[in-house]
Amino acid sequence: MGKQILPVSFPTDVKEKLAKMSDETGINQSNLIRMATHSMIINYESKGSFIFADLLNPQHKENHKKG
């Protein structure tokens, strides 16, 4: 399996949080991003675009908790 380079830009605050997470876990930032991406793809493949509902509509998350 070949590898492709994909430049990704983050807002400064997100980059700082990622660096902190990396320091605390001992997992380098590239691997954290890679793990998160794999997880998102697996969730998407099993649940479809529903996985984005909470991100696109924060009230959906609250309503989902109540229901």
Side-chain angles (χ1 to χ4, degrees), residues 7-63:
V8 179
S9 299
F10 293 103
T12 301
D13 65 321
V14 173
K15 177 67 171 85
E16 289 169 353
K17 290 175 183 179
L18 182 63
K20 182 179 182 217
M21 184 187 302
S22 177
D23 290 343
E24 290 175 355
T25 63
I27 302 170
N28 72 45
Q29 293 178 38
S30 293
N31 283 338
L32 287 170
I33 294 167
R34 195 173 295 113
M35 290 169 27
T37 302
H38 282 281
S39 175
M40 180 178 59
I41 290 169
I42 290 167
N43 278 332
Y44 181 78
E45 289 175 343
S46 68
K47 298 176 185 170
S49 60
F50 181 74
I51 67 169
F52 301 113
D54 293 343
L55 296 172
L56 299 173
N57 182 3
Q59 289 211 341
H60 173 267
K61 187 175 188 176
E62 290 304 313
N63 292 338

